Amino acid sequence: MKRLLAQTLMEDPRVMEAKQLLLAALTDVKNEMKGVQAPSGELKESYANWIARANQSRGGNIWYPFLGSGVGNGALVELADGSVKYDFISGIGVHYYGHSHDEMLDCGVDAALADTIQQGHLQQNTDSVELMEELVALAQKNGGDMAHCFLSTSGAMANENALKMMFQKNAPATRMLSFYKCFSGRTLALAQLTDKAAYRVGLPNAMAVDYIPFYDAERPQESTAEALGALREHLARFPGQYAGMCMELIQGEGGYNIGSEAFFKALIEVLIEHGVAVWIDEVQTFGRLSEPFAFQYFGLDGLVDVVTIGKMSQICATLFTDAYRAKPGLLSQTFTSSGQAIKAGLHTVRGLAQGDLLVKNMRMNAVWTERMEKIDHVSGGYGLGAMFAMTVGDGSIELAKKFSSRLFENGVITFIAGSGPTRIRCLPPIAAIEEADVHAVCDIIEATVKEVMS
């Protein structure tokens, strides 16, 4: 069989030696990063200037005064002010392998040697095909009937593609269903789907959306009955007008609210009866439970029409059954994504398929939950798998912002989610941490709670 020149390049001894030298240099730097470190006084003025320039360039202030130097060590990341912090939000779930991971370096070098920076509509390499095939196989592992996978640059684009598939398949339907407190993105269409009025200020109405109450674990039967009642009411009011329903099985932005198998199956039964597509938005949940997909965790295999993933997968995707295969011309992108994102995504998917990372998701959550239960003025832990959350004090938005800001100053990066209560949430880089890292972060959280609540 003919040997490709690309194979010759990747196996060249000089390339292998270069990788070893880069890894050695990276390891030396990482070994200098042992834990949280305060900012350098010498860099204070220049860092403040960097922050001001960032705010001016983007036309608004960044959430935290965070600008990285470009190097880290697992959950630890160095900022351009010389400080080192624990990153327990990982770019809102993107950096599952943390910072400066050896395996990501290897993927990056391979991508740098590839012929193009981006892959796209007219030019995709074989690793894109491998990634699509392995995502479909992962989605089918428990009997699911996902048949196809379309890659995209962002979770929002994956969701946009999902919407187009459902509207085309179920035309002339023009409406969508979703849950209260859902988050799907900030594009023109997704801002309508997302249940947050602030994201729609000044925007035209792109589509009609009706909302269903989410599951309440403290009132399982009652909340399920309420959701079913609302769903049937909408379907009766607008018969034949719903293309699909978007379901976050664990609400991320909504505050890490968790549904149940019985709840989702009850709703899906009604949706199927009325010919409404079942769309599972897994841009945040993918790869963070004991199963690769949340729909698998909740036993919904065979009941789902469209699934979207993103964040920790590096490259995002829309998976769908054969019935929702798009007609020519509906889906296309100049950029699928960068070669580095594709190679990193393929490595991540293969890691999930082996199963060890999925076990680790749940084990780290157990450590987090046990620690949270022992901290005064904290309720939680909430969340599931590699999605951690807690509520400080009364759960007010003011207290949550104050606490997360102080926690950032003390060396741990988190984010907020939900309302009534507003929670502190974490999406830790599970592939790069151990239990000692979770304990170290919890120690800082406990000390910060005492500061803020004193």
Side-chain angles (χ1 to χ4, degrees), residues 47 82-83 88 157 163 173 294 316 336 370 382:
Y47 191 70
S83 67
F88 255 47
M157 195 66 238
L163 284 172
C316 305
T336 293
E370 183 179 2
Y382 300 106

Side-chain angles (χ1 to χ4, degrees), residues 176-178 193 210 212 231 234-235 242 244-246 271 276:
M176 284 294 297
L177 292 157
S178 194
L193 192 61
D210 295 302
I212 307 296
L231 176 59
H234 289 315
L235 293 170
Y242 291 103
M245 179 169 181
C246 177
L271 294 171
V276 179

